[in-house]
Amino acid sequence: MEPVQAASEISQVITKSALVFNSGYTANECALTVLGTRLPECVFFSDSLNHSSIIEGIKISRAKKCIWKHNDLEDLEAKLASIPGHVPKIICFESIYSMCGTVSPIAQVCDLAEKYGALTYLDEVHAAGLYGPRGGGVAEHLDFDAHAQGNTEGTTLQRIDVISGTLGKGFGTMGGYIAGSRELIDVVRSVSHGFIFTTALPPAVMAGAKAAIEYQKTYPQDRIRLHRPSQALKLLLLDRGLPIIFNGSHVIPLMIGDADQCKLAADILFDEFSIYVQPINAPSVAIGEERLRISATAFRTEQHQTHLIKALSSIWDRLQLRRLEEWKCSSSSLFREAYQSSPRQLWTADQLQAYADTC
């Protein structure tokens, strides 16, 4: 019963039927495999930076696919328009992309989906529990006030056909989920091998997940404690000329551009400064775009941030790594576009201030 109770909690937040899997990866792989095999002649439209689990689910389904340029609405529309109207279409994308922290234009993708008769499949793995008044993710966050007041009619969240997420990361336990219409959930539950032929998650884990969802649904203070230092840290890094990909999320990618130097920088941080930062190399990112991915947490103080900034500045000088202005002139279109578009922060100053007295 515990997975069912956890799914019920997810349904209350996302206002869709839900199904719990053993991981977020499994949820994506299984759901997309079922959709691709059960919709005759289906064509997937997949963002070029989509996670491996999305790529594998589409691959296993053997359905046709079109890859659209990352967050490029013109390219997506051109590809949608090239497919006959009667052909089933599914647009797969993420709300926050884990390696670069960019935020997808969810509402505009929904506009295109409605125009061309496509389903939308949104991965909220890096946003669930961290965005929105109830922790529902970015789709919920886009209509923050409406959801805070319990008004879901006509919101961006309601326009998404399928949402996937994790019970790790923002919820701190284990497992994954998909949420959608009751009929879609019944189909996946009935035919997905990855759901049927595996051991269920332990009751204690599911009880923890249920409690975490209940907590995040009611108490946004921990989300505020996370996003305040994340936004402050971005500004400190930029002030030192350190080359972060500027974005609207909590993910802070710090560009290095060389696999050996990336690992060395991470090793120095850990060995000499007692700071653990994840080095990201190929195949997670393209060769030449290796980076450190900084994840601020809710309990990091100003002293912790100062220590990190001093450590990184020292490493950049020692290894003679490229700084911000050099990266702005580089061949990395992702990096250049981040500064040309000047993305706004998802958590606004007003939203963060609204809970200031309770944190």
Side-chain angles (χ1 to χ4, degrees):
M1 287 298 292
E2 286 80 6
V4 175
Q5 292 171 351
S8 177
E9 287 296 327
I10 296 165
S11 296
Q12 290 179 36
V13 174
I14 301 181
T15 64
K16 302 177 188 290
S17 296
L19 186 65
V20 172
F21 289 81
N22 283 19
S23 69
Y25 191 106
T26 305
N28 276 339
E29 186 179 77
C30 291
L32 291 169
T33 298
V34 170
L35 288 171
T37 55
R38 295 289 160 167
L39 288 175
E41 300 182 4
C42 164
V43 177
F44 285 104
F45 296 82
S46 181
D47 186 286
S48 61
L49 294 187
N50 272 342
H51 189 264
S52 173
S53 57
I54 295 175
I55 295 168
E56 286 301 309
I58 294 172
K59 182 179 178 180
I60 293 169
S61 77
R62 297 185 179 179
K64 295 179 181 178
K65 66 178 182 295
C66 292
I67 309 300
W68 51 290
K69 296 175 184 177
H70 176 57
N71 277 355
D72 189 325
L73 294 169
E74 290 184 2
D75 189 52
L76 173 59
E77 181 164 19
K79 287 179 167 58
L80 286 166
S82 71
I83 303 299
H86 70 277
V87 175
K89 307 171 186 68
I90 304 174
I91 303 173
C92 299
F93 61 118
E94 303 180 32
S95 59
I96 293 175
Y97 290 85
S98 61
M99 295 297 116
C100 55
T102 50
V103 180
S104 63
I106 299 175
Q108 294 90 329
V109 171
C110 288
D111 291 341
L112 291 177
E114 291 163 6
K115 180 178 179 179
Y116 291 96
L119 296 174
T120 47
Y121 187 103
L122 178 64
D123 180 315
E124 289 261 36
V125 161
H126 291 274
L130 302 179
Y131 293 84
R134 301 175 302 167
V138 175
E140 181 190 56
H141 199 98
L142 295 177
D143 300 286
F144 194 96
D145 293 339
H147 285 286
Q149 297 165 12
N151 301 323
T152 62
E153 192 67 29
T155 60
T156 305
L157 182 63
Q158 290 300 301
R159 299 174 70 190
I160 302 293
D161 293 297
V162 188
I163 291 176
S164 68
T166 181
L167 299 174
K169 296 182 172 68
F171 292 120
T173 57
M174 181 181 177
Y177 62 86
I178 62 166
S181 69
R182 181 177 299 175
E183 293 79 9
L184 183 143
I185 295 300
D186 281 344
V187 170
V188 176
R189 179 191 293 113
S190 300
V191 303
S192 171
H193 289 192
F195 177 79
I196 297 169
F197 299 106
T198 191
T199 303
L201 287 165
V205 171
M206 286 291 89
K210 177 176 179 291
I213 298 166
E214 289 175 338
Y215 179 84
Q216 293 289 8
K217 183 172 65 176
T218 308
Y219 300 101
Q221 289 84 353
D222 285 351
R223 293 194 283 287
I224 305 302
R225 291 191 185 101
L226 169 69
H227 290 283
R228 278 184 184 157
S230 294
Q231 293 186 15
L233 183 56
K234 285 181 186 179
L235 297 178
L236 290 171
L237 290 162
L238 289 173
D239 186 60
R240 290 297 186 96
L242 293 166
I244 65 170
I245 298 177
F246 196 72
N247 56 56
S249 73
H250 64 286
V251 178
I252 306 177
L254 181 56
M255 300 298 286
I256 291 181
D258 179 87
D260 293 335
Q261 295 283 69
C262 188
K263 182 180 184 303
L264 179 57
D267 288 344
I268 294 172
L269 273 174
F270 187 77
D271 295 337
E272 298 183 20
F273 297 95
S274 299
I275 299 171
Y276 177 74
V277 173
Q278 182 71 47
I280 308 294
N281 295 325
S284 298
V285 296
I287 294 174
E289 295 197 352
E290 293 82 2
R291 65 200 68 171
L292 300 177
R293 187 177 64 173
I294 300 172
S295 301
T297 64
F299 299 101
R300 290 292 175 258
T301 64
E302 290 183 9
Q303 289 77 14
H304 290 132
Q305 292 187 357
T306 300
H307 179 52
L308 173 62
I309 294 294
K310 288 181 178 179
L312 289 171
S313 295
S314 169
I315 292 169
W316 249 248
D317 288 339
R318 188 194 310 185
L319 302 182
Q320 297 184 327
L321 299 173
R322 284 180 286 172
R323 291 197 174 251
L324 180 62
E325 293 306 317
E326 294 175 90
W327 272 97
K328 285 183 179 180
C329 300
S330 73
S331 61
S332 172
S333 59
L334 182 64
F335 193 91
R336 295 196 312 273
E337 289 167 6
Y339 286 89
Q340 291 169 357
S341 61
S342 299
R344 67 179 182 86
Q345 301 302 297
L346 280 170
W347 277 95
T348 67
D350 288 343
Q351 289 167 350
L352 294 174
Q353 185 60 37
Y355 299 96
D357 295 335
T358 60
C359 291

